[in-house]
Amino acid sequence: MKRIILWAAFAAIAFLGAAAFAEAPTPPDPDQAYVEKFLEKNPRVANPPALADYATVDRYQERFLGEYLDKQLEYISNDRGGIAWGLAYFMISLNEMRRATGDRKYLDANLRCVRAVMAATDDKRGKALWTGRVVPAWGCDIYAQRGRAVFAVHTGIIVAPVLEFLLLAKEDAAFLADLGDEYEKIVQGALAALAVHDRQWRDGPSPDEGHYIGLDQEDMLENRPLPANRLNAMGWALWRAGEITGDARHRDRAVALGRYFRNRLTLHDNAYYWPYMLPDDPVPPVPVQEQPPGEDSSHGGLTMMLVHALADAGQVFDIEDLRRFARMVIQGVARRDDGILISRINGAADLSPDYIGAPSKYLPLARVNSEVRDRIVTFYLRYRPSPAPIELAQLVRYALPVS
């Protein structure tokens, strides 16, 4: 009898435990609020296409050459950042398509853009900065409290694709011959724009480092080192200038900026992270256990442009560095495997999904870790049915199988 009673007690306890377990609420998804905002802005595609149908040369040509190109060139102005955050990215896409296909039509299209951009500098338009200076670069009327200013990030992101266009032009003898003396005029115009920021350059603080400071721009950056994306945009342009001219000063400054950035990376779980504003002093190369800092994913993609350029040249960043950046992508930006990307590089879901930007800028890292490709491609196929020119071009170049 006692045995029957004990069995009944055990059964009752088991039943109550199972019932409690069944009624226990599902733990909330810590990303739930972020995911809801993400899906509001990026509704899931009902029937995602295959990558081979999504990222095609024909699709790029149909969407972005012809009428689209003509429209981009109707009104060229950086007064509100339109060249830096618009046409410059289109020029990057044309360069990527030239690299991917070898087709001259992309050089021809980009020449139209380059001519328009080089004709829109402040000195040619008769526009003065708030200080009274008239510069051979592209001023902007927003961002700075005191008025029109010229920003290193704008100059870098505009000049870099111009110089990359010239490097690609040098590979095509017939195109270069047709360009004639205009080649050197474009070179000199690009170098003059970079030189506008020489007054902002500072060596150090550590040996072999260098950086730019804010001068006559936003009040909060006056005499302070510029944010990471701004420094690296200039570094990217400087490296390309060195490739064009052979001038060691341009190359040395690009390398010094690369070292400045690398020395301020935080190592966490064998991946690299950094904040929007880099710390003043180098970060010890010792892994941290706490959550690492995280620049927003959009600016982070721009920050990576100098890394890609220097790594390709065997400068500052080696293959293990690239693997650490790739791990940052799959542990941060693309830590989910469902195509929903996070708007901070450290994976913190505390920022609007608007700050995802163009994640295709991380695709060069797929060369050292294919999971970067897989996760970013999933985002495009499921959530971005209409990619921007730079996104489609980088998918064509880095995500499609090599034929």
Side-chain angles (χ1 to χ4, degrees), residues 9-25:
F10 286 138
I13 292 170
F15 174 79
L16 291 173
F21 180 80
E23 294 172 3

Side-chain angles (χ1 to χ4, degrees), residues 16-96:
L16 291 173
F21 180 80
E23 294 172 3
T26 303
D29 181 350
D31 292 340
Q32 182 176 352
Y34 176 86
V35 169
E36 289 175 358
K37 293 178 183 177
F38 177 94
L39 293 175
E40 285 177 12
K41 298 175 181 294
N42 307 277
R44 179 158 180 170
V45 174
N47 297 296
L51 179 62
D53 297 322
Y54 180 97
T56 71
V57 174
D58 287 345
R59 188 182 188 202
Y60 183 94
Q61 292 178 180
E62 291 167 2
R63 293 187 63 193
F64 302 126
L65 297 185
E67 183 179 345
Y68 181 94
L69 172 59
D70 294 339
K71 188 172 182 180
Q72 300 308 300
L73 301 178
E74 285 178 357
Y75 178 71
I76 305 300
S77 166
N78 199 52
D79 291 349
R80 300 190 65 80
I83 297 177
W85 306 121
L87 190 56
Y89 277 92
F90 185 49
M91 291 192 293
I92 295 170
S93 79
L94 291 167
N95 288 334
E96 293 284 40

Side-chain angles (χ1 to χ4, degrees), residues 214-369:
L215 284 178
D216 305 328
Q217 299 172 2
E218 303 103 315
D219 294 346
M220 64 176 292
L221 290 175
E222 193 73 13
N223 293 309
R224 292 193 61 198
L226 294 178
N229 74 91
R230 303 192 191 191
L231 296 175
N232 285 12
M234 278 295 287
W236 174 33
L238 287 166
W239 183 256
R240 297 309 185 206
E243 290 182 312
I244 285 281
T245 66
D247 187 334
R249 189 180 70 128
H250 293 128
R251 292 196 302 266
D252 290 347
R253 283 192 173 182
V255 168
L257 285 163
R259 291 196 186 104
Y260 184 92
F261 177 59
R262 190 183 186 282
N263 290 343
R264 285 157 182 77
L265 294 171
T266 295
L267 184 62
H268 171 77
D269 200 12
N270 208 20
Y272 281 144
Y273 300 91
W274 65 91
Y276 178 82
M277 292 293 300
L278 296 171
D280 292 338
D281 299 318
V283 174
V286 178
V288 299
Q289 299 304 313
E290 65 272 14
Q291 185 177 52
E295 183 173 34
D296 66 90
S297 304
S298 180
H299 285 114
L302 176 56
T303 301
M304 287 296 301
M305 299 302 276
L306 176 61
V307 175
H308 299 320
L310 291 178
D312 286 347
Q315 297 286 334
V316 184
F317 301 99
D318 60 23
I319 191 167
E320 182 53 34
D321 290 320
L322 295 180
R323 290 181 178 132
R324 287 172 172 171
F325 284 116
R327 281 190 281 269
M328 173 271 292
V329 174
I330 60 177
Q331 294 170 184
V333 178
R335 62 176 169 78
R336 299 173 65 102
D337 61 3
D338 57 1
I340 294 177
L341 299 184
I342 308 300
S343 50
R344 284 198 190 274
I345 62 169
N346 64 356
D350 63 346
L351 195 62
S352 167
D354 289 339
Y355 287 89
I356 291 171
S360 61
K361 286 182 281 190
Y362 296 101
L363 281 174
L365 296 170
R367 294 176 293 188
V368 297
N369 189 325

